[in-house]
Amino acid sequence: MIGKNNPLNIRTSAHFKWAGQSGETRGFCDFDDVVMCRRAGAYLLMRSYRRAGITKLRDVIHRFAPASENNTDAYISFVCKRTEFHPYTELVFDSDFAAVLAAMEIFEQGVHASMRDGYYFNAKASYIYVINQFNLRKDESKS
């Protein structure tokens, strides 16, 4: 984790500040707590990417973790293995997004640190909570 409370390694933007973002560390967001980072990640996938028509698992990862910075093939392979989704799975349900985000979080933190099933299932449950708490499935084209 590069930024504080940023297990997804979400980068900062000169034009946008996330809710709960408290600063930055070497170009990555610092968050007040992990929940706000997870909210930002869920928002990216469930609203921003969906609006741009990016809904297939493979495309989501290519957008989130571009090949210029990551080994996207390894990233996709890891997330598919962890979630049991195919690379071309269309992400539709809250549980799809929660599973993908939890697996992405593990990959971002280093596979060695989080291979335990308990970490994955706890992260997935946390994403489901965040999705429900912040009503992220709702498509608000004005936000």
Side-chain angles (χ1 to χ4, degrees):
M1 180 172 0
I2 298 171
K4 181 178 140 200
N5 294 316
N6 187 353
L8 285 168
N9 290 327
I10 296 174
R11 288 200 173 271
T12 57
S13 168
H15 308 289
F16 183 79
K17 184 175 177 184
W18 289 106
Q21 182 182 341
S22 57
E24 67 145 310
T25 301
R26 298 189 327 249
F28 292 86
C29 298
D30 292 333
F31 288 96
D32 294 333
D33 58 47
V34 173
V35 170
M36 296 312 287
C37 172
R38 288 177 172 161
R39 178 194 177 280
Y43 186 96
L44 277 171
L45 271 61
M46 296 182 74
R47 289 204 181 157
S48 298
Y49 291 6
R50 188 185 289 171
R51 280 191 202 132
I54 302 168
T55 56
K56 290 186 176 77
L57 174 60
R58 178 184 184 285
D59 298 336
V60 163
I61 292 173
H62 272 283
R63 177 71 171 263
F64 186 85
S68 61
E69 300 177 10
N70 298 275
N71 180 343
T72 51
D73 290 337
Y75 204 135
I76 292 165
S77 178
F78 178 83
V79 172
C80 287
K81 183 177 180 181
R82 185 46 109 168
T83 61
E84 298 182 357
F85 291 159
H86 186 274
Y88 293 94
T89 296
E90 193 86 28
L91 302 177
V92 177
F93 303 106
D94 294 355
S95 59
D96 297 345
F97 288 101
V100 167
L101 284 158
M104 289 171 66
E105 184 174 307
I106 291 171
F107 190 85
E108 288 288 337
Q109 295 311 303
V111 178
H112 66 282
S114 307
M115 281 303 290
R116 300 177 316 261
D117 284 338
Y119 184 93
Y120 172 74
F121 292 114
N122 287 337
K124 184 177 173 185
S126 179
Y127 280 105
I128 289 172
Y129 168 79
V130 166
I131 290 165
N132 289 323
Q133 180 72 20
F134 295 103
N135 197 24
L136 294 175
R137 78 184 62 81
K138 184 177 176 185
D139 183 19
E140 296 176 1
S141 55
K142 294 178 184 174
S143 63

